[in-house]
Amino acid sequence: NGGSDPTVALDPATPNRLDNRYYAEVRAGRGLLTTDQTLTERPTTRRYVDVNARYGVAWAGKFARAMVRMGSIDVLTVNQGEISRWCSMVN
């Protein structure tokens, strides 16, 4: 749009919708990042891409379960963990 915002949607087909279209785009060779397309190089990960692209309802269920599990991960506090000032190195 000519603006200065460098943000790019990882799923240009449906950028404002939470759906499995990302996988369809990767399967069609239109993944935005090199790492997206790398998912299609190995049979194991290619199978995940194919299944997620084909079965949107199943993908949505898996996504929901993953978000619930991530929400239950405990945050490390005080002496249990470390707040990184620079993520590329140990403080």
Side-chain angles (χ1 to χ4, degrees):
N1 65 10
S4 61
D5 185 2
T7 304
V8 177
L10 293 176
D11 171 13
T14 55
N16 299 315
R17 196 168 171 197
L18 184 59
D19 61 13
N20 68 325
R21 187 62 191 253
Y22 162 83
Y23 293 100
E25 294 298 309
V26 169
R27 188 168 67 173
R30 293 188 296 262
L32 181 64
L33 306 173
T34 302
T35 53
D36 297 335
Q37 286 310 131
T38 301
L39 292 171
T40 63
E41 292 177 3
R42 290 183 160 205
T44 306
T45 52
R46 172 72 184 209
R47 186 173 61 83
Y48 286 118
V49 170
D50 289 341
V51 168
N52 287 332
R54 231 179 256 130
Y55 304 106
V57 172
W59 170 83
K62 289 188 290 185
F63 182 85
R65 287 188 297 279
M67 293 304 291
V68 168
R69 286 183 69 190
M70 285 177 55
S72 68
I73 296 172
D74 290 333
V75 176
L76 299 179
T77 59
V78 191
N79 60 356
Q80 297 172 326
E82 174 183 77
I83 297 173
S84 297
R85 291 188 183 100
W86 295 278
C87 293
S88 61
M89 61 187 330
V90 177
N91 293 334

